[in-house]
Amino acid sequence: MRTLVGVTAGLLLGASWSLGPAVAQQVTGTLGAPDATTTIDGRQLPAPDPKFGGVIRNDALQSKPWWAPRIVPPKEAPNVLLIITDDAGFGVPSTFGGVIPTPTMDGLAAEGLRYNRVFSTALCSPTRAALITGRNHHSVGFGVISEQSTGFPGYNSIIGRDKATIGRILTDNGYATAWFGKDHNTPAFAASQVGPFDQWPTGMGFEYFYGFVGGDANQWQPNLFRNTTQIYPFDGKPPGTWNLITAMADDAIDYIGRMHQTDPTKPIFIKYAPGATHAPHHPTKEWVEKITAMHLFDDGYETLRERIFENQKRLGVIPKDAKLTPWPREVLKEWDTLTPEAKKLFVRQVEVFAAYAAYNDHEIGRVIQAFEDVGRRDNTLIIYINGDNGTSAEGGPMGTPNEVAFFNGLSELPVDVQIKFYDVWGTEQTYNHMSAGWSWAFDTPFDWFKQNASRLGGTNQNMVVSWPARITDKGALREQFVHVIDVVPTILEVAGLRAPDTVDGIKQAPIEGTSFAYTFDPKNAKAASRHGTQYFEMMGQWALYKDGWLLSTKVNRAPWEAFGAANPDPLNNQVFQLYDLSKDFTQADDIAAKNPQKVKEMREAFLAEAKKYQVLPLDASVAARIVAPRPNITAGRSEFVYTRPMTGLPQGDSPNLLNTSYTITADIEVPDGGAEGMILTSGGRFAGYGFYLKDGKPVFLWNLVDLKRVRWEGPDVLAPGRHTLEFNFKYDGLGIGTLAFNNMSGVGRGGTGILKVDGKAVQTITLPHTLPMILQWDEAFDIGSDTLTGVNDADYTPPFRLTARLNKLTIKVDRPQLGKADIEKLETARATAVDGAPLTRVQPGPH
């Protein structure tokens, strides 16, 4: 018989949308019996062990056993499916006026609520850190992505132990918890198998993880993990037949079934974070064909924008009097000025993107159906957030077949180069991204993009919420201000749980978000927003929302303009804009000139928020932070020695050979009959290097973002026996030390490589330029074989295992050091720039 202690069933079930903020203790069964359960007050996690309630005598027959009750959430606590898609602006889904069919989201909106004022941070992992902690992204160390982290509390990409995640809180309160898809909240310098694993999903309180670690992944051959073990379920599958979007849905469906069959009473929490629609855009051929047949984009991106805008007004998801800002002719070419070949290319780019979005929504529908199939759909709260930021423009105005090229300064590849990839766009042969013209259109009714924290196109997402058992105002619109930090307190409120005071003995920082569960009640449909103030900051661009007002810094850098000297004073060296969002939904009418006092007040308020939430020091640099030093396992080391094969070491934890001189020496033994295979590789098809034996000859190859491959090759087949192979590279630049002076001139410079066999130089090649920033980040540093994609498909197919014996592999790095004259010159240049002269943009040269 079920017994409630301290609360009645009527009290629990009386609320129409919430269990309340932490209900009183509930006990089922008889305490001490094996089947007893209890809720906890949640102040201390994990809950302290209860006092033994049995009787202990000298012998067992005279004693009474007693079992601690199993911890469960409050009765009627819902299952929670938290969905967040990637790089998708307001105008992407059909639910909010887009032309891309998203029937899953449409269906949820029809049975639940639509939200048109949901805000992100303007960048992916910062938004996700805020989403799982209920705190601002700087508060939890994610002022930027981990790949740009720096040694300041707001920017180190480390979620502090005083800020437990929703996964940890729900797990300790009796939920089954899982995370599927993208994990961009593990520091790039803590992503290897040496750990520590406390910042991996399983270390942050999620019981199960199936997904990839990092900003994005090749969906055909991802760097995929189950918990902390790398897995390769795609190995041996024909190209184009296995895709992570489907595979993660399959795994989530399996998880739901296993949890339900094991314990039908245990609530389930899932964070579902697919890679779509972040680049690379990798949908299946079937979905590309479906979208292509619809001819949605033949009229170009300006027409698309106007069509979406009219759809949004017709659906009522934006006000009838909303204004559309002008097309940015100074930034993006008008459609009618493009050549026929460019139009053909651009349409292909966007059709693949749209297919990716539609495919992803379809697979999300399969996961939702799994809750239906096990009879849990009615009491499942589904929060489906479209986008962790606005649509990405990181493909630049031209788009790109290889996003890694953008991160190395090649943001405008010409049409005649890209058109060669037309037939394979979106397949395993590309790491593709579309033209920024489409991105601007998909952020309709707003403008600008991902990264632009001062414009609504970068931050104003949309969301649908479904909870059939509780939400009765079906299909309605909610216009209250909601930020991703509000999700955690909302989940806790509807589950009847409190935020803990301590976790593992560590006092917890306050939750900074505000629950939006009040909006579930029809009585509060038009209630004032309870989240009144919110700052935004991303790479020196910032804004402040306060009770309907929005102070914004004018955009001074397009997202693809990542290379160059940064604004040295991003707090003050700005053009300030002011908007009244209560009357101006789309941020179209700047009224700063008419309200100087309001601008002053808002600037002061932003600074107060910045001090409160670890936003300082402001930093406007972008690419420079990618190569900034970090405390990874290679920090301070100049020599690396390996004596056995090893695979899977991520880029952030492996020796960095960019912008430096280095020597790689391999001591090998060739068996009778010869040898081939990979000695050392880092990166893959879209950028990287490899040192290998091909047809018995030594080869060193640099893959320069899949546009050019430079190859050193020995002239002779290696005879059986012991050999020493060496590749020496002398770098000509000053290195990353110039970045400390707001100067990019030290990176991406040229150098000379010499391949040696048994001490004899066999080939020398001088490179005019090298990769300045990054290799393909979702590929590993591998010794003895090559995982995922190869650096040169013409030479080999992975895994390409080394058939020679590797005795020893040594890497010596000789990083450039700035001399006194170099420092004086750089300081003079910096002083000149700060004194008012134009900031010099130093672009790494084309490859």
Side-chain angles (χ1 to χ4, degrees), residues 68-91:
R70 180 166 51 90
I71 294 172
V72 296
K75 184 175 182 292
E76 303 299 328
N79 307 294
V80 180
L81 176 59
L82 173 59
I83 303 161
I84 185 163
T85 64
D86 208 331
D87 284 8
F90 195 98

Side-chain angles (χ1 to χ4, degrees), residues 582-598:
S582 67
K583 302 174 183 177
D584 175 17
F585 186 83
T586 61
Q587 198 182 13
D589 298 321
D590 176 15
I591 55 176
K594 300 176 183 177
N595 298 273
Q597 183 58 35
K598 190 68 176 178

Side-chain angles (χ1 to χ4, degrees), residues 76 87 116 245 256 264 285 290 387 427 458 463 475 513 572 657 669 719 756 769 823 841:
E76 303 299 328
D87 284 8
N116 68 359
I245 295 297
I256 293 166
K285 184 172 183 284
K290 286 181 180 180
T427 72
M463 172 179 75
N572 302 297
L657 303 188
E669 287 186 41
K756 297 180 181 180
H769 304 284
I823 293 173
R841 290 191 176 274

Side-chain angles (χ1 to χ4, degrees), residues 630-701:
R630 295 184 183 89
N632 66 16
I633 57 178
T634 70
R637 297 173 62 188
S638 58
E639 183 172 349
F640 305 86
V641 178
Y642 309 92
T643 58
R644 56 176 293 170
M646 179 181 72
T647 61
L649 190 63
Q651 301 295 333
D653 276 329
S654 62
N656 188 347
L657 303 188
L658 302 184
N659 307 306
T660 187
S661 299
Y662 56 88
T663 301
I664 303 172
T665 305
D667 177 353
I668 66 171
E669 287 186 41
V670 176
D672 293 340
E676 68 169 11
M678 185 60 65
I679 299 170
L680 167 67
T681 183
S682 192
R685 178 178 293 133
F686 304 103
Y689 62 84
F691 197 6
Y692 51 93
L693 303 181
K694 168 65 174 172
D695 298 327
K697 299 177 182 179
V699 174
F700 192 92
L701 181 138

Side-chain angles (χ1 to χ4, degrees), residues 371-650:
F371 280 100
E372 186 78 50
D373 292 343
V374 298
R376 292 196 180 200
R377 178 71 182 83
D378 193 52
N379 194 34
T380 296
L381 170 66
I382 300 175
I383 300 173
Y384 187 162
I385 302 172
N386 171 64
D388 53 1
N389 42 245
T391 316
S392 171
E394 290 162 357
M398 302 298 292
T400 180
N402 181 6
E403 191 195 24
V404 186
F406 156 75
F407 286 100
N408 282 291
L410 300 175
S411 58
E412 297 193 38
L413 296 179
V415 172
D416 62 341
V417 172
Q418 296 197 55
I419 203 73
K420 298 173 184 176
F421 296 90
Y422 182 90
D423 291 332
V424 296
W425 203 272
T427 72
E428 72 281 355
Q429 296 298 317
T430 59
Y431 216 89
N432 50 307
H433 201 304
M434 66 189 172
S435 161
W438 301 116
S439 306
W440 192 282
F442 284 126
D443 287 342
T444 304
F446 312 116
D447 57 26
W448 289 95
F449 316 98
K450 169 188 178 180
Q451 294 191 26
N452 298 125
S454 61
R455 299 300 298 182
L456 298 183
T459 61
N460 198 149
Q461 315 302 137
N462 45 47
M463 172 179 75
V464 297
V465 176
S466 167
W467 189 8
R470 301 289 177 175
I471 293 176
T472 60
D473 197 10
K474 300 186 184 304
L477 179 70
R478 295 293 187 263
E479 300 177 86
Q480 288 89 352
F481 184 101
V482 174
H483 191 273
V484 289
I485 63 174
D486 299 337
V487 171
V488 165
T490 301
I491 293 171
L492 294 180
E493 180 176 350
V494 301
L497 303 174
R498 69 172 76 247
D501 297 332
T502 64
V503 176
D504 296 330
I506 298 171
K507 181 176 174 55
Q508 295 294 289
I511 297 288
E512 294 163 4
T514 303
S515 171
F516 58 85
Y518 70 96
T519 66
F520 298 175
D521 193 325
K523 297 195 301 289
N524 294 325
K526 299 296 182 182
S529 302
R530 295 183 182 178
H531 190 141
T533 301
Q534 181 61 47
Y535 80 90
F536 300 87
E537 190 279 333
M538 191 59 58
M539 293 176 283
Q541 300 180 53
W542 54 269
L544 181 75
Y545 171 87
K546 189 172 177 62
D547 299 326
W549 292 93
L550 185 72
L551 177 72
S552 305
T553 59
K554 184 178 181 180
V555 175
N556 53 23
R557 178 190 65 80
W560 56 87
E561 294 173 342
F563 296 83
N567 182 352
D569 184 12
L571 181 62
N572 302 297
N573 183 27
Q574 303 275 9
V575 174
F576 294 99
Q577 301 171 323
L578 184 67
Y579 303 91
D580 182 355
L581 297 187
S582 67
K583 302 174 183 177
D584 175 17
F585 186 83
T586 61
Q587 198 182 13
D589 298 321
D590 176 15
I591 55 176
K594 300 176 183 177
N595 298 273
Q597 183 58 35
K598 190 68 176 178
V599 170
K600 181 176 182 293
E601 292 173 6
M602 295 284 279
R603 287 181 64 183
E604 292 172 351
F606 171 81
L607 182 57
E609 295 291 289
K611 291 177 178 178
K612 182 177 180 181
Y613 296 117
Q614 301 187 159
V615 183
L616 303 179
L618 293 184
D619 186 347
S621 64
V622 185
R625 279 192 268 186
I626 294 176
V627 291
R630 295 184 183 89
N632 66 16
I633 57 178
T634 70
R637 297 173 62 188
S638 58
E639 183 172 349
F640 305 86
V641 178
Y642 309 92
T643 58
R644 56 176 293 170
M646 179 181 72
T647 61
L649 190 63

